Amino acid sequence: MTEPTPVPDHAGGGADTVAASANSAPVNARDRGGAANGHRPKLPGALSLATVESAWEAGGQRSGDEVEAGIVALWQAFGERPTQELRDRLVLHYAPLVKYVAGRVGTGLPSHVEVSDLIQSGIFGLVDAIEKFEPERGLKFETYAMQRIRGAILDDLRAQDWVPRSVRSRARDVERALERLEAKLQRTATDAELAEELELSVEELRELFAQLQMTSVVALDDLIGAGHAQSSLAETLPDDRAEDPVAALVDRDSRRQLAEAVERLSERDRVVVTLYYFENLTLAEIGRVLGVTESRVCQLHTRAVLRLRTKLTEQT
């Protein structure tokens, strides 16, 4: 965005901003009455995307003197008769100021916050600034409007934030304390050292950490990686209920090796293993089936297990 072009103070508004490019970001306007339902309000009047873009393009085509004379006359007319049409013309003229403030505010915000959303909020701050500005006080309009625009953007961000402001404040306190300690210690601070810096007990610090975990929210559609291998975070989250193909392959191979080892046992050992592990019979019940004592079945079972272990070890 180009820097604002100043106009004489006797215009009643001080320095003015003019559009210097037809490629400025679009400004969407929505109905103000929808704000209570979670929708952004709309500017009254006929401010459309085409209107804003054409006004910015026209501003770039006119000479500086023509723009200055036009805005002086516009402020004078609005002061005498504050109609909706005149106010909308002032909004269109100062719209690049909203883009400038939104860009500055958006610099320190997370990547999922769209600048276009900030611009929409800032437009209402601009409208409020135009309606409440008093030229006779001799202040520059830009100075007054930038505060109103910034305030409207911050108010809208706070309204959308589900984390209490007290928790956000505590998070900033912890961050600043960590920075001080690491700068002084030249290493990562322990929980005990951080708790002492914050004048808390270790238990209270851990409770604070549990609260601050709620503030660490990441959008699942954020891209990670670099180059052509970029993927969303949602695609990297493990599915605990999904079958692990490697584990399934290892299990299938182990079953195959065990079956082959059982097949190579003697008939009596194979019967003992089958009845004990697959039919869930006790040693006494297996003894009655084979017509031997329980102690003999125990010996057969031990011999079969040792032979299986030897055969499986040989295969690996």
Side-chain angles (χ1 to χ4, degrees):
M1 174 181 175
T2 56
E3 290 298 324
T5 303
V7 298
D9 290 340
H10 65 270
D16 184 21
T17 57
V18 297
S21 172
N23 298 323
S24 301
V27 179
N28 297 328
R30 305 183 188 170
D31 185 29
R32 182 180 294 273
N37 298 325
H39 302 290
R40 291 187 181 279
K42 174 164 131 183
L43 284 171
L47 293 182
S48 64
L49 173 60
T51 306
V52 172
E53 289 181 339
S54 62
W56 288 354
E57 182 176 1
Q61 294 172 349
R62 294 194 300 267
S63 66
D65 292 339
E66 290 175 338
V67 173
E68 292 176 3
I71 194 62
V72 169
L74 190 58
W75 272 112
Q76 290 176 346
F78 183 75
E80 296 172 358
R81 187 170 57 89
T83 63
Q84 178 176 304
E85 179 183 359
L86 294 175
R87 186 209 59 196
D88 289 350
R89 291 174 63 186
L90 286 170
V91 170
L92 292 174
H93 184 79
Y94 287 106
L97 186 63
V98 178
K99 182 182 178 183
Y100 173 75
V101 176
R104 293 286 298 273
V105 174
T107 302
L109 296 179
S111 58
H112 66 269
V113 178
E114 298 290 340
V115 176
S116 58
D117 293 337
L118 304 183
I119 291 176
Q120 292 177 21
S121 303
I123 283 291
F124 296 101
L126 176 61
V127 172
D128 186 59
I130 291 174
E131 292 178 345
K132 296 181 179 179
F133 182 62
E134 298 178 0
E136 61 273 10
R137 294 195 174 187
L139 299 176
K140 289 185 177 182
F141 176 74
E142 285 80 356
T143 303
Y144 175 75
M146 287 178 68
Q147 295 299 323
R148 287 281 182 175
I149 294 169
R150 186 175 184 274
I153 293 174
L154 294 180
D155 287 344
D156 191 51
L157 288 174
R158 293 189 184 108
Q160 298 178 38
D161 191 6
W162 52 273
V163 179
R165 294 184 63 183
S166 59
V167 176
R168 294 287 188 193
S169 177
R170 294 295 288 165
R172 288 192 294 270
D173 292 341
V174 172
E175 291 175 359
R176 287 192 288 265
L178 280 172
E179 291 176 358
R180 291 194 304 268
L181 281 175
E182 291 179 357
K184 179 172 63 176
L185 301 174
Q186 296 298 309
R187 59 174 174 80
T188 302
T190 63
D191 287 352
E193 292 168 340
L194 180 59
E196 183 180 358
E197 180 71 16
L198 294 171
E199 297 181 355
L200 299 173
S201 65
V202 176
E203 291 75 16
E204 291 173 336
L205 178 63
R206 289 172 180 169
E207 292 178 2
L208 179 59
F209 282 155
Q211 296 177 0
L212 298 183
Q213 286 179 352
M214 300 172 55
T215 65
S216 302
V217 179
V218 180
L220 290 180
D221 56 352
D222 280 352
L223 294 179
I224 61 175
H228 299 289
Q230 285 186 343
S231 60
S232 67
L233 180 60
E235 296 174 345
T236 67
L237 297 178
D239 185 359
D240 297 332
R241 294 175 295 181
E243 182 181 13
D244 185 357
V246 176
L249 180 62
V250 171
D251 180 68
R252 193 158 51 243
D253 187 63
S254 299
R255 288 174 181 269
R256 178 188 59 79
Q257 293 180 11
L258 179 61
E260 292 176 354
V262 171
E263 287 296 327
R264 290 198 295 269
L265 293 175
S266 64
E267 182 178 358
R268 175 165 288 194
D269 289 348
R270 188 165 58 250
V271 169
V272 171
V273 170
T274 302
L275 294 178
Y276 187 77
Y277 290 103
F278 295 96
E279 300 298 333
N280 295 322
L281 298 183
T282 64
L283 296 179
E285 292 171 337
I286 295 174
R288 287 194 293 270
V289 171
L290 296 179
V292 297
T293 62
E294 182 178 352
S295 60
R296 178 57 181 162
V297 173
C298 182
Q299 294 173 359
L300 294 174
H301 172 264
T302 302
R303 184 181 67 181
V305 170
L306 291 175
R307 287 178 176 177
L308 284 175
R309 183 177 301 170
T310 301
K311 294 180 182 298
L312 291 175
T313 303
E314 291 175 354
Q315 293 181 4
T316 57

